[in-house]
Amino acid sequence: MSETSKAQFDAIVIGAGFAGMYQLHLLRDKLGLKVRVLEQGSGVGGTWYWNRYPGARCDTESHAYCYTFSESLYCSWDWSERYPEQPEIMRYLNFVADQLDLKKDIQFDTRVSGASWDEDVRCWRIMTENHGEYTARFLITAVGCLSAANIPNFKGLDSFKGQWIHTGSWPQDGVDFSGKRVGLIGTGSTGVQATPVIAKQADHLTVFQRTPNYSVPARNAPLTEDFKRSVHKNFEEIARNMKATTNGHPWGVENRRAVETSADEQERLLEAAWQVGGMQFRAVFNDIMVDEAANKVMADFVTRKIRETVKDPTTAEKLTAFDHHYSTKRPIIDSHYFETYNRENVSLVDVKEAPIEEITPRGLRTSDGTEYDLDIIVFATGYDGVTGPLTRLNLIGRDGLSLGDVWQEGPKTYLGLQVEGFPNLFTITGPQSPSVLTNMPVAIEQHAEWIANAITHIDQIGASCMEPTSTAVNEWETQVQKAAQATLLITAKSSWYLGANVPGKPRVFLPYAGGMARYRDICEDVVEQNYKGFKVA
Ligand code: NAP
């Protein structure tokens, strides 16, 4: 679509990933509204459009990493592998966009530079970097939780003579690592996925690790024709389970406590789960996130597995010097990550012991004075998670309030859906909603549907605005912190769930940890009580 200046819409949606696409479909095709999606990329895909780094693959199994609002849509797509790779997710999202004829209402290559609420006419004014101006009654952010890159402010970065890339804005044409000395900074989900693939191509790969992470084998494999048929056949059950579980995956956590299981039985169960691989490994016991002794059973098992895999004892020691309980930072699954350290062309550098001091024209130097000559530096340094994509939008609410200022000490929302002082702004998978603690498409579908219903309600009662009350916002904040305190998640002091990875960011637990199923009930209850906690004026 081409940009039309001063265009008026019922709703503007920012972002054309899973969330923006479904929101467009609901508002345009179910509610009949005039909707425009503004998307900075040149195609649909959101986070997957930008994350094209080697090894990029989803950790959710493919048959659950998709929309479930339509059985016919679900059954008209076949996934090829247990976990979908980035190009396959892009093909899927393009397929959905074409099936639902979404692209005609998505304006690509359009980055929103700011938006402000106009109280006089009760609408949002949205500005774009290419000088577009839009007005809309409703502004819906579908910008994802992990789209604002965290690029550490290393001294000397501009002086680097080689190529440096953040994994979240990977070049569309790829990067040729052959014959190159590559440095990779960061060992979160991204670094763990990229390491084995880059190691196969590069002349030498040096991984700079600040904090080691637990990881479990993904055991990715092609899907059999039988499996593909069975997921289509069992669509209803799969979709129902995804809605019923705490984590939005189709599998639940076993009703079994580690601390009440004998050591032999623990070992047998964990070994079996290790062989199956994937996120389900966490589901063997139901007390690992609330009981340190139970957690230690898992942590010890994974530590032992890593030490058995990595041949060099010094490297194995560095890879298992964990500073947190198992699964209290975002759990990771991998494809031969630890095995990669047995390759001769791969080395691990501990940058907790000797932090990166400076990027130099030839590579980087750590605080112990060691110089590393590099041709390419890959920043797998993560994101200003959950709040960053929203505060960077320059949103100005009533009375000139900026969202960044309102959230200076941490996000304040009601249900992660709305912010006081920002009428008719809805935030899909916003902070203080389950978002990153769940399977994202499930959280997205629930939010997009709730928002569409709220807009219907506003119109049905002849109102013009909706925003939360301060009482509801304060009470929700208490519930969010209480939910986190009830788990060991809050103990992982270096976690991005707490904003710990971005210097100066307030240390506040960002998502709602009470579980997707409980959260869904809370949202439904609010509606049943006539949108309790919201002012609909
Ligand atoms: P991340 O988990 O935040 O990891 C960033 C890494 O960079 C950490 O190891 C961090 O160390 C390191 N780092 C940051 N600043 C540094 C500095 N100044 N010096 C040295 N090291 C530094 O980011 P990510 O790996 O991109 O993953 C972010 C999230 O995206 C994941 O948790 C997940 O939710 C999602 N994701 C999902 C998938 C998937 O589904 N397969 C794949 C990739 C990402 P510290 O730990 O010490 O901070």
Side-chain angles (χ1 to χ4, degrees):
M1 297 220 58
S2 68
E3 188 143 310
T4 325
S5 64
K6 301 206 190 298
Q8 288 185 351
F9 292 89
D10 294 315
I12 289 282
V13 178
I14 309 175
F18 267 97
M21 285 171 51
Y22 185 42
Q23 193 71 77
L24 168 61
H25 171 59
L26 285 177
L27 298 185
R28 185 194 67 182
D29 303 335
K30 306 281 175 196
L31 270 59
L33 300 183
K34 188 177 173 198
V35 188
R36 174 71 58 89
V37 179
L38 305 177
E39 164 56 55
Q40 61 178 329
S42 304
V44 297
T47 195
W48 294 106
Y49 177 88
W50 301 101
N51 276 271
R52 293 164 189 259
Y53 61 85
R57 189 183 287 283
C58 185
D59 288 345
T60 297
E61 283 168 293
S62 51
H63 68 285
Y65 196 72
C66 47
Y67 296 108
T68 55
F69 65 85
S70 155
E71 181 169 359
S72 65
L73 187 67
Y74 185 91
C75 293
S76 46
W77 180 262
D78 272 331
W79 294 100
S80 68
E81 293 180 284
R82 180 173 175 186
Y83 305 94
E85 212 180 359
Q86 182 270 349
E88 190 166 18
I89 299 172
M90 287 295 289
R91 285 198 296 280
Y92 169 72
L93 288 173
N94 274 286
F95 161 79
V96 173
D98 293 339
Q99 288 286 306
L100 302 177
D101 199 14
L102 298 178
K103 289 178 185 166
K104 66 180 185 196
D105 290 306
I106 303 174
Q107 191 158 301
F108 295 109
D109 303 306
T110 303
R111 192 182 165 90
V112 170
S113 55
S116 54
W117 172 251
D118 186 333
E119 182 75 5
D120 293 336
V121 282
R122 298 191 164 214
C123 72
W124 280 94
R125 296 189 180 284
I126 300 108
M127 283 77 66
T128 67
E129 277 183 359
N130 26 356
H131 311 294
E133 270 185 52
Y134 304 82
T135 57
R137 291 166 58 213
F138 301 102
L139 177 61
I140 298 148
T141 60
V143 289
C145 297
L146 296 156
S147 53
N150 171 43
I151 299 172
N153 190 15
F154 291 127
K155 189 174 139 199
L157 184 55
D158 288 349
S159 72
F160 184 53
K161 294 272 186 270
Q163 184 184 11
W164 71 269
I165 323 128
H166 186 277
T167 50
S169 47
W170 204 256
Q172 302 287 315
D173 300 334
V175 177
D176 183 4
F177 292 104
S178 48
K180 299 286 193 322
R181 296 160 304 175
V182 182
L184 182 144
I185 307 171
T187 53
S189 304
T190 303
V192 165
Q193 283 189 331
T195 292
V197 186
I198 297 177
K200 280 191 194 147
Q201 298 166 16
D203 181 45
H204 193 273
L205 172 66
T206 309
V207 178
F208 297 91
Q209 169 193 275
R210 190 164 65 181
T211 315
N213 278 303
Y214 300 90
S215 181
V216 171
R219 308 222 187 270
N220 185 42
L223 294 175
T224 63
E225 292 307 314
D226 273 358
F227 184 85
K228 292 180 200 173
R229 267 194 302 276
S230 86
V231 294
H232 289 166
K233 195 164 147 245
N234 298 313
F235 164 77
E236 275 181 24
E237 190 188 338
I238 293 168
R240 197 172 47 243
N241 288 345
M242 285 163 67
K243 286 199 170 93
T245 55
T246 302
N247 52 31
H249 290 280
W251 42 269
V253 175
E254 295 294 336
N255 188 18
R256 178 197 299 129
R257 289 163 62 82
V259 292
E260 289 170 358
T261 307
S262 71
D264 282 355
E265 185 65 354
Q266 286 172 350
E267 180 66 19
R268 193 187 66 75
L269 292 165
L270 289 175
E271 183 59 38
W274 184 264
Q275 293 312 324
V276 173
M279 290 286 190
Q280 293 96 315
F281 180 72
R282 286 179 304 156
V284 172
F285 301 114
N286 64 6
D287 49 354
I288 66 156
M289 296 309 290
V290 292
D291 184 328
E292 287 190 10
N295 190 286
K296 190 169 179 310
V297 172
M298 307 288 275
D300 288 350
F301 183 89
V302 178
T303 302
R304 176 157 50 86
K305 286 289 185 188
I306 298 169
R307 291 197 177 143
E308 283 168 10
T309 307
V310 179
K311 291 189 181 134
D312 173 46
T314 313
T315 305
E317 191 57 38
K318 287 179 190 165
L319 287 166
T320 51
F322 302 116
D323 73 341
H324 57 286
H325 296 300
Y326 173 72
S327 202
T328 53
K329 289 174 83 169
R330 161 63 155 78
I332 300 179
I333 62 175
D334 69 271
S335 295
H336 314 296
Y337 173 66
F338 296 110
E339 291 87 335
T340 299
Y341 289 99
N342 296 332
R343 293 176 67 104
E344 291 204 339
N345 70 333
V346 177
S347 43
L348 180 71
V349 173
D350 180 352
V351 290
K352 186 163 264 170
E353 213 170 77
I356 297 168
E357 200 164 68
E358 184 175 7
I359 308 285
T360 65
R362 290 173 47 182
L364 64 80
R365 189 175 56 247
T366 49
S367 66
D368 56 2
T370 314
E371 306 248 3
Y372 297 88
D373 285 349
L374 302 167
D375 302 307
I376 300 175
I377 305 178
V378 175
F379 282 69
T381 46
Y383 298 89
D384 179 355
V386 189
T387 48
L390 294 167
T391 52
R392 291 180 193 198
L393 280 176
N394 299 318
L395 301 178
I396 308 290
R398 190 182 290 115
D399 304 325
L401 272 179
S402 104
L403 189 70
D405 287 345
V406 175
W407 287 1
Q408 217 163 28
E409 287 172 13
K412 289 183 196 315
T413 76
Y414 184 34
L415 302 170
L417 276 162
Q418 277 216 298
V419 185
E420 191 191 5
F422 293 76
N424 291 0
L425 169 71
F426 293 94
T427 51
I428 303 181
T429 63
Q432 303 184 324
S433 74
S435 67
V436 292
L437 297 180
T438 69
N439 177 19
M440 286 306 275
V442 174
I444 284 168
E445 284 190 353
Q446 185 263 344
H447 261 195
E449 286 163 13
W450 195 96
I451 292 165
N453 289 339
I455 290 175
T456 305
H457 172 72
I458 294 167
D459 285 348
Q460 271 173 355
I461 66 167
S464 60
C465 299
M466 180 171 189
E467 71 176 291
T469 65
S470 52
T471 311
V473 170
N474 292 336
E475 282 176 8
W476 184 242
E477 188 174 17
T478 307
Q479 281 208 52
V480 170
Q481 296 314 320
K482 251 188 179 166
Q485 295 288 349
T487 71
L488 294 174
L489 287 165
I490 204 78
T491 64
K493 298 297 176 209
S494 62
S495 171
W496 63 259
Y497 290 163
L498 271 165
N501 62 329
V502 178
K505 191 165 172 172
R507 300 287 170 100
V508 179
F509 197 79
L510 296 167
Y512 171 67
M516 190 61 215
R518 180 152 172 228
Y519 175 81
R520 187 187 295 277
D521 288 346
I522 294 171
C523 290
E524 282 172 12
D525 190 51
V526 162
V527 174
E528 270 167 31
Q529 294 194 54
N530 202 21
Y531 288 86
K532 184 167 182 259
F534 290 97
K535 290 177 274 182
V536 190

Coordinates of all heavy atoms in Angstrom, one line a residue, residues 497-524:
Y497 N 13.8 -11.1 32.1 CA 12.5 -11.0 32.6 C 12.4 -9.9 33.7 O 11.3 -9.3 33.9 CB 12.1 -12.3 33.3 CG 11.9 -13.5 32.5 CD1 11.9 -14.8 33.1 CD2 11.7 -13.4 31.1 CE1 11.7 -15.9 32.3 CE2 11.5 -14.6 30.3 CZ 11.5 -15.8 31.0 OH 11.3 -17.0 30.2
L498 N 13.5 -9.6 34.3 CA 13.6 -8.5 35.3 C 14.2 -7.2 34.8 O 14.5 -6.3 35.6 CB 14.4 -9.0 36.5 CG 13.8 -9.8 37.6 CD1 14.9 -10.5 38.5 CD2 13.0 -8.9 38.5
G499 N 14.5 -7.2 33.5 CA 15.1 -6.0 32.9 C 16.6 -5.9 33.2 O 17.2 -4.9 33.0
A500 N 17.2 -7.0 33.8 CA 18.6 -6.9 34.3 C 19.6 -6.8 33.2 O 20.7 -6.4 33.4 CB 18.9 -8.2 35.1
N501 N 19.2 -7.1 31.9 CA 20.3 -7.1 30.8 C 20.5 -5.7 30.3 O 21.4 -5.5 29.5 CB 19.8 -8.0 29.7 CG 18.5 -7.6 29.1 OD1 17.7 -7.0 29.7 ND2 18.4 -7.9 27.8
V502 N 19.6 -4.7 30.6 CA 19.8 -3.4 30.0 C 20.2 -2.4 31.1 O 19.5 -2.2 32.1 CB 18.4 -2.9 29.4 CG1 18.5 -1.5 28.8 CG2 18.0 -3.9 28.3
P503 N 21.4 -1.8 31.0 CA 21.9 -0.9 32.0 C 20.9 0.2 32.3 O 20.3 0.8 31.4 CB 23.2 -0.4 31.5 CG 23.6 -1.4 30.4 CD 22.4 -2.0 29.9
G504 N 20.6 0.4 33.6 CA 19.7 1.5 33.9 C 18.2 1.2 33.9 O 17.4 1.9 34.4
K505 N 17.8 0.0 33.4 CA 16.4 -0.4 33.4 C 16.0 -0.8 34.8 O 16.7 -1.5 35.5 CB 16.3 -1.6 32.4 CG 14.8 -1.9 32.0 CD 14.7 -2.8 30.8 CE 13.3 -3.2 30.6 NZ 13.0 -4.0 29.4
P506 N 14.8 -0.4 35.2 CA 14.3 -0.7 36.5 C 14.2 -2.2 36.7 O 13.8 -2.9 35.7 CB 13.0 -0.1 36.7 CG 12.6 0.5 35.4 CD 13.8 0.5 34.5
R507 N 14.6 -2.8 37.8 CA 14.5 -4.2 38.1 C 13.1 -4.6 38.6 O 12.8 -4.5 39.8 CB 15.5 -4.7 39.1 CG 16.9 -4.4 38.7 CD 17.4 -5.4 37.7 NE 18.7 -5.0 37.1 CZ 19.8 -5.5 37.5 NH1 19.9 -6.5 38.4 NH2 21.0 -5.1 37.0
V508 N 12.2 -4.8 37.6 CA 10.8 -5.2 37.9 C 10.5 -6.4 37.1 O 10.8 -6.5 35.9 CB 9.9 -4.0 37.5 CG1 8.4 -4.4 37.9 CG2 10.3 -2.7 38.2
F509 N 9.8 -7.4 37.7 CA 9.5 -8.6 37.0 C 8.4 -8.2 35.9 O 7.3 -7.6 36.2 CB 8.9 -9.7 37.9 CG 9.0 -11.0 37.2 CD1 10.1 -11.7 37.1 CD2 7.8 -11.5 36.6 CE1 10.2 -12.9 36.4 CE2 7.8 -12.7 36.0 CZ 9.0 -13.4 35.8
L510 N 8.7 -8.5 34.6 CA 7.9 -7.9 33.6 C 6.6 -8.6 33.1 O 5.6 -8.0 33.0 CB 8.8 -7.6 32.3 CG 9.9 -6.6 32.6 CD1 10.9 -6.7 31.5 CD2 9.3 -5.2 32.7
P511 N 6.7 -10.0 33.0 CA 5.5 -10.7 32.6 C 4.6 -11.1 33.8 O 5.1 -11.2 34.9 CB 6.0 -11.9 31.8 CG 7.4 -12.1 32.3 CD 7.9 -10.8 32.9
Y512 N 3.4 -11.5 33.5 CA 2.5 -12.1 34.6 C 2.8 -13.6 34.7 O 2.7 -14.3 33.7 CB 1.0 -11.9 34.2 CG 0.1 -12.6 35.1 CD1 0.0 -12.2 36.5 CD2 -0.7 -13.6 34.7 CE1 -0.9 -12.9 37.3 CE2 -1.6 -14.3 35.5 CZ -1.7 -14.0 36.8 OH -2.5 -14.6 37.7
A513 N 3.2 -14.0 35.9 CA 3.7 -15.4 36.0 C 2.6 -16.4 36.6 O 2.9 -17.5 36.9 CB 4.9 -15.5 36.9
G514 N 1.4 -15.9 36.6 CA 0.3 -16.7 37.2 C -0.2 -17.8 36.2 O -1.1 -18.6 36.6
G515 N 0.3 -17.8 35.0 CA -0.2 -18.8 34.0 C -1.2 -18.3 33.1 O -2.1 -17.5 33.4
M516 N -1.2 -18.8 31.8 CA -2.1 -18.4 30.8 C -3.5 -18.7 31.1 O -4.4 -17.9 30.8 CB -1.6 -19.0 29.4 CG -2.3 -18.4 28.2 SD -2.0 -16.7 28.0 CE -3.6 -16.2 27.3
A517 N -3.8 -19.9 31.6 CA -5.1 -20.4 31.8 C -5.8 -19.5 32.9 O -6.9 -19.0 32.7 CB -5.2 -21.8 32.2
R518 N -5.1 -19.2 33.9 CA -5.6 -18.4 35.0 C -5.8 -16.9 34.5 O -6.8 -16.3 34.8 CB -4.6 -18.4 36.2 CG -5.1 -17.6 37.3 CD -4.5 -18.1 38.6 NE -4.8 -17.2 39.7 CZ -3.9 -16.8 40.6 NH1 -2.6 -17.3 40.5 NH2 -4.2 -16.0 41.5
Y519 N -4.9 -16.5 33.7 CA -5.0 -15.1 33.2 C -6.2 -15.0 32.3 O -6.9 -14.0 32.3 CB -3.7 -14.8 32.4 CG -3.7 -13.5 31.7 CD1 -3.5 -12.3 32.4 CD2 -4.1 -13.4 30.3 CE1 -3.6 -11.1 31.7 CE2 -4.1 -12.2 29.7 CZ -3.9 -11.0 30.4 OH -3.9 -9.8 29.7
R520 N -6.4 -16.0 31.5 CA -7.6 -16.0 30.6 C -8.9 -15.9 31.4 O -9.8 -15.1 31.1 CB -7.6 -17.3 29.8 CG -8.6 -17.4 28.7 CD -8.6 -18.8 28.1 NE -7.4 -19.1 27.4 CZ -7.1 -18.8 26.1 NH1 -8.0 -18.1 25.4 NH2 -6.0 -19.1 25.6
D521 N -8.9 -16.7 32.5 CA -10.1 -16.6 33.4 C -10.3 -15.2 33.9 O -11.4 -14.7 34.0 CB -10.0 -17.6 34.5 CG -10.1 -19.0 34.0 OD1 -10.6 -19.2 32.9 OD2 -9.8 -20.0 34.8
I522 N -9.2 -14.6 34.4 CA -9.3 -13.2 34.9 C -9.8 -12.3 33.9 O -10.7 -11.5 34.2 CB -7.9 -12.8 35.4 CG1 -7.4 -13.6 36.6 CG2 -7.9 -11.3 35.8 CD1 -5.9 -13.4 37.0
C523 N -9.3 -12.4 32.7 CA -9.8 -11.4 31.6 C -11.3 -11.7 31.3 O -12.0 -10.7 31.1 CB -9.0 -11.6 30.3 SG -7.3 -11.1 30.5
E524 N -11.7 -12.9 31.3 CA -13.1 -13.2 31.1 C -14.0 -12.7 32.2 O -15.1 -12.2 32.0 CB -13.3 -14.7 30.8 CG -12.9 -15.1 29.4 CD -12.8 -16.6 29.2 OE1 -13.4 -17.4 30.0 OE2 -12.2 -17.0 28.2

